[in-house]
Amino acid sequence: MNNLEKLNGQLNELITKNYDAEKGYKKAADLTKNPELKGYFTNQAQNRYDFGHALKNEIKSTGGDVDKGTSLKGDLHRAWMSVKDTFSANDDKAMLEEVVRGEEAAVEEYNEILSDATLAPTTQNLIKNQVQSVQKALADARSLEAWENK
């Protein structure tokens, strides 16, 4: 596997994970009654949708092929959120805990790709901008989680 194939594979994985996150955020926005959380979840869903499209464009610009769909793991996580919702009466705290967990994993994945010294400057800038946005979303989720714990 050459470097371009490896990079396209990594970017396709990020696309899938961003679309998983988008769907998860949409689900959380549907479940919460808190207007502040609903706004946060809706905004993050849009960000992840936009991230996915930017990554698609980056793959296409290198001549790579874009994969389609969400991951089985993401689908299972959303199903778990639905089951958890049934038992926890739309527990905003629990949803925020899942957001924090997911965003921490996303930051790790982005940083892993950034550690690859063979990234083209456009790809590196795109990944840096997205990871910074995910880090901000993580900080916001932690703040909201602390607020929910009061």
Side-chain angles (χ1 to χ4, degrees):
M1 174 183 298
N2 66 35
N3 285 338
L4 186 56
E5 289 172 340
K6 178 183 172 191
L7 175 62
N8 283 339
Q10 290 173 316
L11 295 180
N12 271 307
E13 286 179 28
L14 278 181
I15 289 170
T16 299
K17 289 173 181 165
N18 274 296
Y19 287 149
D20 286 342
E22 174 196 0
K23 288 180 190 278
Y25 274 121
K26 284 180 177 178
K27 177 74 174 168
D30 288 343
L31 293 175
T32 188
K33 304 285 188 258
N34 180 316
E36 184 178 5
L37 288 179
K38 187 176 288 291
Y40 168 77
F41 293 147
T42 301
N43 184 51
Q44 291 309 313
Q46 183 62 51
N47 283 346
R48 294 313 182 87
Y49 173 85
D50 294 342
F51 288 179
H53 281 279
L55 290 163
K56 280 182 181 181
N57 289 337
E58 188 66 22
I59 290 172
K60 289 177 185 176
S61 75
T62 64
D65 293 323
V66 177
D67 294 339
K68 304 277 185 209
T70 59
S71 71
L72 176 60
K73 184 176 178 182
D75 293 339
L76 292 173
H77 179 73
R78 281 186 301 284
W80 178 87
M81 283 183 74
S82 293
V83 169
K84 189 171 186 176
D85 170 51
T86 302
F87 296 106
S88 64
N90 299 336
D91 185 352
D92 290 340
K93 181 180 179 248
M95 285 188 285
L96 282 168
E97 288 171 358
E98 286 305 305
V99 166
V100 167
R101 188 182 64 75
E103 296 297 38
E104 287 172 343
V107 168
E108 286 180 28
E109 291 171 51
Y110 272 96
N111 285 333
E112 184 178 317
I113 293 172
L114 278 173
S115 69
D116 190 344
T118 61
L119 294 177
T122 57
T123 305
Q124 188 171 36
N125 287 334
L126 175 66
I127 299 299
K128 279 183 181 178
N129 289 336
Q130 288 188 3
V131 76
Q132 287 170 352
S133 182
V134 172
Q135 288 168 329
K136 181 178 181 334
L138 175 58
D140 291 346
R142 285 181 174 146
S143 293
L144 289 166
E145 184 181 35
W147 179 77
E148 282 289 321
N149 287 330
K150 289 183 181 180

